[in-house]
Amino acid sequence: QVQLVESGGGLVQAGTSLRLSCVASGRPFGAFTMGWVRQAPGKEREFVAAISWMNSRLHYADSVKGRFVISRDDAKNTLYLQMNSLKPEDTAVYYCAASGLVDTTTPADFGSWGQGTQVTVSS
């Protein structure tokens, strides 16, 4: 298990940007595929983006492709999600998650989760 703590959420207007951060501790950060998963009220958890630990391959949900950028700084044990051109439908709790798999876009494959950070986008 790895411990994850997210930050950077908030209330913003549509069209603006936010950057989420996730600091990891407890185990070597570089050994995990890291991802962001979000959950809107009354909906199931939805994959947003992931970056593989082995080859840094990137994956994005279609709904955020071209607007969101995932990145990682292994030296700082930190994962980022740069969110641009935010839309009201991006409103959700965003979770940072870690998986021991080489590559995945399935929320169920992530074994460690942060507590989540709320992102609210007003129209």
Side-chain angles (χ1 to χ4, degrees):
Q1 294 286 337
V2 59
Q3 288 74 49
L4 305 169
V5 179
E6 304 97 333
S7 62
L11 171 62
V12 297
Q13 290 189 331
T16 60
S17 299
L18 271 179
R19 188 176 80 157
L20 305 183
S21 299
C22 171
V23 178
S25 62
R27 292 190 63 184
F29 181 71
F32 293 92
T33 288
M34 300 299 299
W36 292 95
V37 176
R38 67 187 181 186
Q39 187 167 24
K43 296 187 177 181
E44 294 185 354
R45 287 189 174 182
E46 174 192 21
F47 168 79
V48 175
I51 180 167
S52 167
W53 67 265
M54 176 173 280
N55 51 24
S56 294
R57 182 175 296 173
L58 306 178
H59 300 280
Y60 294 97
D62 288 343
S63 58
V64 307
K65 201 171 292 184
R67 299 188 298 122
F68 291 10
V69 178
I70 187 172
S71 62
R72 63 191 295 166
D73 186 336
D74 289 355
K76 296 182 178 180
N77 288 349
T78 302
L79 178 73
Y80 303 98
L81 185 68
Q82 178 67 42
M83 304 186 295
N84 302 318
S85 302
L86 282 162
K87 303 176 180 180
E89 51 263 44
D90 294 319
T91 295
V93 177
Y94 283 71
Y95 297 91
C96 171
S99 172
L101 299 179
V102 170
D103 237 340
T104 184
T105 60
T106 304
D109 287 339
F110 292 93
S112 299
W113 295 79
Q115 82 287 352
T117 185
Q118 177 70 47
V119 172
T120 303
V121 184
S122 63
S123 57

